[in-house]
Amino acid sequence: MVDQPDMFCYQCSQTAGEKCCTIRGVCGKLPTVARLQDNLIFAMKGISAYNYNANVLGAEDPEVDEFLTKGLYSTLTNVNFDAENLVKLSIEAGKANIKVMKLLKKAHIDAFGEPVPAEVQVGSQGGPAIIVTGHDLKALEELLKATEGTGIKVYTHSEMLPAHGYPGLAKYDHLVGEIGKSWWDQKEIFSKYNAAILGTSNCVVPPKDDYADRMFTMDVAKLPGVPFIENYDFQPIIDKALELGEMPPEETFTVTTGFGLSTILSLADKIKQLVEDGKISRFFVIGGCDAPTPKDNYYREFVENLPEDTVIITLACGKFRFNDLDLGDIEGVPRLIDVGQCNDTIVAIELAEALCDLFDMQLNDLPLTIVLSWMEQKAVAILWSLLAIDKKDMLIGPILPAWVNDDILNILVENYNLTMIGDPKEDIKRIMG
């Protein structure tokens, strides 16, 4: 039997011992550095997703590209052992993410118009159908063009819901509604509905056998054994939708989406008066990534138990935990305001900045609480964007990110008072004071 050579750790420049993670080549003696490197990689994945969607629409920012190169290089072996510097790079990642989110917002508006509130029917309305999931609005537009006059109805799924608020997409009569909720219901929803399916970006799930032959992907989204659409040639998925025939109609319900910044700011004077009159006590930004765990029920319970004089601003797939609730309005100001995809997070940040101007207050003095749900890489980038603008007193859950250890958690708590979610009623009581 040949002796196995000792594993060498390229982080600490010595033979890896019991405390060293030889699989990753990261030394156990540097857990904080390794975790901060992981964090930076996750953040850059999120930035890259935003950047790619902007690039597809012809928008670019060389400063964002420059940071991605610098940031990724900083995670290489034997480059950066400085934990403090890696925290600074994470803040820099947050700033780069703000730039790229603004870039993408402008690209979306230039291409499809400023979003306006739209009531969207959820459920099947019958007929041949294609369900579109992901985030890529350009892909949806090209599909809508290709399916005009075919008799096919196009439905959005999950993060594509806000597409209904863009005038340039809503003008297509055969963009008829939404099917399903968050990304993780794909296997159940796509099995249930007799439709062709298009995955346009991240958040696709390997399909079950019963719909694998009617699912298609495109662009960066790829699944084993699933047909791939190239160069916006949608004829294969059109043929499949027509071959499948009628999707039976069902009873539907309505959700509202598409609150662009201009729409919200058109209510600025009324919002200011309602706050000054004590009729709006607090604003909550509640959103992020959803996950199929019982702990994520927290977010629905939190919203259900909020006082009736509060306003909830939501975004990303975390909203599907509660966006079917009818929360009414406060003298014409909706209590539930859906600003869109995770790609639209910049709207919530710009709204917070606008509230600072409206009330002549600093960000952390506003009656504004942010409650984040956590899972995917964009959420990492968004968290660091909020820390980059020095937002404090945020809640995060349902669990801590995997890259957080005690040292990193102490930094986040001591500098930003980042708090884990707990019991929803107790959290509300503490926040409302």
Side-chain angles (χ1 to χ4, degrees):
M1 182 175 179
V2 179
D3 290 336
Q4 293 294 320
D6 291 331
M7 294 295 292
F8 186 79
C9 180
Y10 290 93
Q11 288 283 32
C12 65
S13 300
Q14 62 181 334
T15 301
E18 292 181 358
K19 293 183 179 180
C20 185
C21 180
T22 54
I23 294 175
R24 291 178 55 218
V26 174
C27 181
K29 295 179 180 179
L30 295 172
T32 298
V33 166
R35 287 167 182 263
L36 287 171
Q37 287 178 335
D38 287 346
N39 158 66
L40 190 55
I41 290 170
F42 284 134
M44 288 187 295
K45 286 182 178 181
I47 295 168
S48 297
Y50 290 129
N51 200 34
Y52 190 90
N53 286 145
N55 293 166
V56 166
L57 292 166
E60 298 180 354
D61 187 330
E63 291 184 3
V64 173
D65 298 338
E66 182 180 346
F67 172 77
L68 288 171
T69 301
K70 173 186 173 183
L72 189 58
Y73 182 43
S74 298
T75 67
L76 262 61
T77 303
N78 283 354
V79 169
N80 193 338
F81 296 91
D82 188 337
E84 185 176 346
N85 179 258
L86 285 166
V87 173
K88 290 179 180 178
L89 279 170
S90 299
I91 294 292
E92 195 174 335
K95 293 176 181 178
N97 191 53
I98 289 174
K99 287 183 181 180
V100 77
M101 289 193 295
K102 287 184 176 181
L103 183 75
L104 180 56
K105 176 194 169 189
K106 184 178 184 303
H108 279 159
I109 291 173
D110 288 348
F112 313 117
E114 178 86 18
V116 294
E119 291 189 351
V120 183
Q121 296 296 316
V122 181
S124 169
Q125 299 175 36
I130 297 175
I131 303 170
V132 185
T133 191
H135 306 78
D136 190 339
L137 299 184
K138 171 66 173 174
L140 177 61
E141 179 190 41
E142 295 299 328
L143 176 68
L144 290 169
K145 291 177 183 177
T147 49
E148 274 194 297
T150 63
I152 294 172
K153 294 177 180 178
V154 176
Y155 295 83
T156 54
H157 171 260
S158 191
E159 288 272 68
M160 295 300 284
L161 170 65
H164 296 271
Y166 286 92
L169 299 173
K171 69 181 182 181
Y172 293 93
D173 292 337
H174 60 300
L175 178 63
V176 295
E178 172 89 349
I179 294 285
K181 294 186 176 183
S182 189
W183 65 271
W184 54 265
D185 72 7
Q186 288 179 41
K187 292 190 176 185
E188 175 188 354
I189 291 298
F190 296 165
S191 291
K192 176 182 177 182
Y193 291 95
N194 183 44
I197 305 143
L198 178 64
T200 66
S201 67
N202 57 312
C203 297
V204 291
V205 174
K208 292 169 63 176
D209 291 342
D210 60 5
Y211 65 84
D213 66 335
R214 53 187 174 86
M215 183 167 187
F216 298 76
T217 62
M218 59 179 294
D219 211 3
V220 298
K222 294 179 173 63
L223 292 170
V226 170
F228 185 73
I229 300 290
E230 295 188 73
N231 301 318
Y232 299 112
D233 178 8
F234 293 110
Q235 196 58 50
I237 193 171
I238 291 172
D239 293 342
K240 176 58 70 172
L242 294 173
E243 174 192 323
L244 291 168
E246 298 278 321
M247 187 167 71
E250 63 183 351
E251 185 177 350
T252 64
F253 63 93
T254 302
V255 297
T256 303
T257 188
F259 284 89
L261 185 63
S262 296
T263 298
I264 301 171
L265 292 185
S266 69
L267 299 170
D269 291 341
K270 178 175 286 189
I271 290 171
K272 184 176 183 180
Q273 191 63 53
L274 289 170
V275 171
E276 291 175 347
D277 291 346
K279 295 179 180 179
I280 293 178
S281 64
R282 196 161 195 86
F283 300 91
F284 287 85
V285 175
I286 307 174
C289 299
D290 194 20
T293 67
K295 289 182 179 180
D296 286 84
N297 292 332
Y298 169 94
Y299 298 93
R300 185 179 185 90
E301 293 175 26
F302 189 93
V303 170
E304 287 177 326
N305 284 284
L306 282 173
E308 293 184 0
D309 62 353
T310 58
V311 173
I312 298 98
I313 299 148
T314 190
L315 62 144
C317 63
K319 66 174 169 278
F320 289 106
R321 286 285 169 172
F322 51 80
N323 73 329
D324 60 322
L325 296 173
D326 182 4
L327 300 181
D329 65 272
I330 302 173
E331 296 188 13
V333 175
R335 286 198 59 225
L336 182 61
I337 298 174
D338 176 11
V339 302
Q341 299 178 332
C342 57
N343 284 0
D344 300 306
T345 303
I346 190 62
V347 176
I349 293 176
E350 290 177 339
L351 177 58
E353 294 171 342
L355 290 174
C356 289
D357 292 337
L358 184 65
F359 295 107
D360 192 23
M361 299 174 74
Q362 297 297 311
L363 177 62
N364 291 305
D365 295 328
L366 287 173
L368 170 68
T369 298
I370 297 179
V371 186
L372 299 173
S373 53
W374 189 275
M375 189 175 168
E376 177 274 352
Q377 291 87 350
K378 290 178 185 175
V380 183
I382 291 165
L383 173 63
W384 286 103
S385 291
L386 293 166
L387 298 179
I389 61 173
D390 198 36
K391 178 61 184 143
K392 295 180 169 64
D393 303 318
M394 294 184 289
L395 278 75
I396 188 171
I399 59 174
L400 281 172
W403 46 267
V404 171
N405 64 3
D406 288 343
D407 291 337
I408 297 171
L409 183 60
N410 287 339
I411 292 172
L412 297 176
V413 172
E414 290 173 8
N415 291 285
Y416 302 101
N417 195 30
L418 191 68
T419 304
M420 283 293 298
I421 62 171
D423 177 81
K425 292 182 180 179
E426 291 302 315
D427 286 345
I428 291 169
K429 186 186 299 183
R430 175 176 55 79
I431 293 165
M432 300 303 294

